[in-house]
Structure formats: structure tokens, C-alpha cells
């Protein structure tokens, strides 16, 4: 949803910041790597129950993810290698952050509720895979209610309002599953039109 409606406007706003960071000598790959370190730190901090500090590291992870592209653009270093690194780092950060939630719930909640973040990770991976596979076939699988930017906001809400973390994660799971269904249907319709040509 964010990609389709606000991504271009946000990128235009971040381009001047990317230019400043580029002049300061920061590279896009360094910022991407910084994001992975912030996500790993967030996972540990969240797992230990320091949720507000975890929110801070979550925000830093998101900022790194948002700024590596504008820095690459400003330095004219956009490349296939950089795009690959960015995509892989996104998946690694997702896994780390959600693992932090699983660790926290496993330490603080009875039963098997720690499996909820793991189920969320599985569906999140499916959504990401659908887009990657569709694009490799020349198709479009963008869109849905719970893309990566939305997941960051919802995870942040779960940290800020921990008393409703579990309902928030359930809602996130349902919306992410709906996104997977939406993307599957979108690609399926595109392949139907291709097969009729």
C-alpha cells in the first residue's frame, strides 16, 4: 500500500538527505550493513524485554533501509550488486526483528504464543518471495495491505503499546496473509492475460 501511494513522494523527500550523507562519505552499502546491525541489536534488546529501546533500534533499522537508496542515487553507485545486497538485507532484518518478538513472547507469555511471530515470519517470507519471483518473470506483484513499510509501523506499535502486542501481531498476521492472497491473485490474472495472447 505504501509503495503504491507514497513511495515516490517519500523518496523525493529523502533524496536531499541522501546527497548530504553521500558528501559526508557514507556509502549505500555501509548504510545497508548498518541497518542489519541495528536489526540484530533490536532483536536482542526486544528479546531481553527492553521494548522502548527496541523501538529506537527498529526506527534506526528503518532509517537505514530508507536512506541507502537515496545515497546510492546521489553517488551514482546504483548497481545490480547493491540492489541484491539491499534485498537480502531486507529479508535478514525482517527475520531478525521477528525473532526478537518470538524470543520476548517465549520468555514472558505462557503456552506456545511465541509461535505467532514465527507464523508471521513464514507468511512475510511468502509475500517477499511472490514479488521477487514475479519480477523475475517480468510480472508485477507489488501491493497489498501489509507491505514492508507497513510491517515496520505495526511492529513499532507493538513495541510502543506492549499491552496489546499480541492482538497487534495477530492482526499483522491476518493482513500479511491477505497480502499474500492478493499478490497471488494479481500475478495469476497477469498470467491469464499472457496465455490468451
Amino acid at each position: 500500500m505504501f509503495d503504491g501511494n507514497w513511495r515516490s513522494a517519500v523518496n523525493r523527500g529523502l533524496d536531499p538527505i541522501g546527497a548530504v550523507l553521500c558528501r559526508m562519505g557514507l556509502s549505500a552499502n555501509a548504510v545497508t550493513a548498518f541497518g542489519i546491525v541495528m536489526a540484530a541489536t533490536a532483536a536482542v534488546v526486544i528479546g531481553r524485554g527492553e521494548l522502548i529501546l527496541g523501538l529506537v533500534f527498529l526506527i534506526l533499522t528503518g532509517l537505514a533501509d530508507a536512506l541507502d537508496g537515496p545515497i546510492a542515487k546521489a553517488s551514482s553507485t546504483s548497481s545490480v550488486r547493491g540492489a541484491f545486497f539491499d534485498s537480502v538485507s531486507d529479508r535478514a532484518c525482517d527475520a531478525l526483528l521477528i525473532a526478537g518478538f518470538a524470543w520476548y513472547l517465549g520468555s514472558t507469555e505462557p503456552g506456545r504464543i511465541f509461535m505467532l511471530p514465527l507464523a508471521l515470519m513464514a507468511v512475510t517470507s511468502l509475500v517477499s518471495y511472490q514479488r521477487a519471483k514475479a519480477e523475475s518473470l517480468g510480472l508485477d506483484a507489488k501491493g497489498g495491505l501489509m507491505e514492508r513499510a507497513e510491517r515496520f509501523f505495526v511492529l513499532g506499535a507493538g513495541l510502543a503499546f506492549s499491552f496489546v502486542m499480541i492482538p497487534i501481531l495477530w492482526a499483522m498476521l491476518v493482513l500479511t496473509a491477505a497480502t499474500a492472497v492478493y499478490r497471488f491473485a494479481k500475478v495469476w490474472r497477469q498470467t491469464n492475460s499472457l496465455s490468451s495472447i
Side-chain angles (χ1 to χ4, degrees):
M1 192 164 64
F2 174 84
D3 272 344
N5 295 312
W6 300 297
R7 171 69 70 182
S8 297
V10 170
N11 283 346
R12 283 195 300 273
L14 291 175
D15 283 346
I17 300 173
V20 170
L21 294 174
C22 176
R23 287 195 294 272
M24 291 172 60
L26 289 175
S27 71
N29 285 343
V31 172
T32 301
F34 174 77
I36 297 172
V37 173
M38 291 300 97
T41 306
V44 172
V45 169
I46 292 166
R48 293 176 57 182
E50 301 173 64
L51 302 185
I52 298 303
L53 186 56
L55 176 60
V56 172
F57 285 110
L58 174 71
I59 292 168
L60 290 173
T61 303
L63 283 174
D65 182 50
L67 288 170
D68 55 4
I71 292 171
K73 182 179 177 182
S75 60
S76 300
T77 56
S78 297
S79 65
V80 172
R81 176 186 291 175
F84 175 75
F85 182 35
D86 181 54
S87 182
V88 171
S89 76
D90 287 349
R91 305 292 77 76
C93 290
D94 287 345
L96 287 165
L97 292 168
I98 294 175
F101 279 81
W103 177 3
Y104 171 74
L105 292 178
S107 302
T108 59
E109 297 291 332
R112 297 187 177 88
I113 196 64
F114 71 91
M115 292 297 293
L116 173 57
L118 300 182
L120 179 59
M121 185 66 239
V123 181
T124 296
S125 297
L126 176 60
V127 167
S128 299
Y129 175 77
Q130 286 173 315
R131 178 170 173 177
K133 184 61 178 179
E135 289 178 350
S136 75
L137 297 171
L139 303 171
D140 174 30
K142 293 180 182 178
L145 294 170
M146 191 59 63
E147 297 183 284
R148 190 158 193 267
E150 289 85 2
R151 292 197 298 270
F152 263 82
F153 286 120
V154 174
L155 289 176
L159 294 172
F161 307 102
S162 58
F163 59 95
V164 288
M165 178 187 289
I166 292 174
I168 284 173
L169 291 176
W170 275 114
M172 187 176 174
L173 177 63
V174 170
L175 292 174
T176 305
T179 299
V181 172
Y182 168 82
R183 289 188 173 190
F184 184 88
K186 183 176 183 179
V187 171
W188 196 264
R189 286 193 301 271
Q190 291 173 71
T191 58
N192 278 343
S193 64
L194 288 173
S195 62
S196 64
I197 294 175

